[in-house]
Amino acid sequence: MATKHLIATTDICMYHHVEYTFITSLKEAGLLELTLIDETSYIPESELQKLERMIRLHHDLEINIAGIEAITHLLERIEKMQEEMRILRNRPGVN
C-alpha cells in the first residue's frame, strides 16, 4: 500500500515531542484514525490538523485525554450547528 498521504507516527512524535502512547491513547479514545502498514503506524494527512490541535491542548493547556475528548466533542457539535445555521441563512426567503 502506498504511503503517499500518510505520515509515520514516529515522525509526528519526534517533531511534536510527544510520546507514542499519547497517539495510541487518542486512537483508543476514538479521536484519531491510524493506519497500520508492515507493523508501522501512520496518520492520514486528513487527520493531521486535528492531531496538532489535540497536541496543543495537551502541551499548552496540560489537558488529559478525557478532557481532549470532551473538548473535541463540543467543538464538533459547534461546527455542526454553525453549518446548520449557515444553511438556514442561505435558504430562499430568509432575511
Side-chain angles (χ1 to χ4, degrees), residues 15-48:
Y15 182 80
H16 288 287
H17 307 288
V18 295
E19 296 291 325
Y20 181 75
T21 54
F22 176 73
I23 303 289
T24 57
S25 295
L26 293 174
K27 182 194 181 322
E28 290 170 3
L31 297 172
L32 187 65
E33 177 185 326
L34 294 180
T35 302
L36 188 64
I37 302 172
D38 296 330
E39 298 183 27
T40 303
S41 63
Y42 295 89
I43 299 167
E45 280 183 4
S46 60
E47 295 280 289
L48 187 59

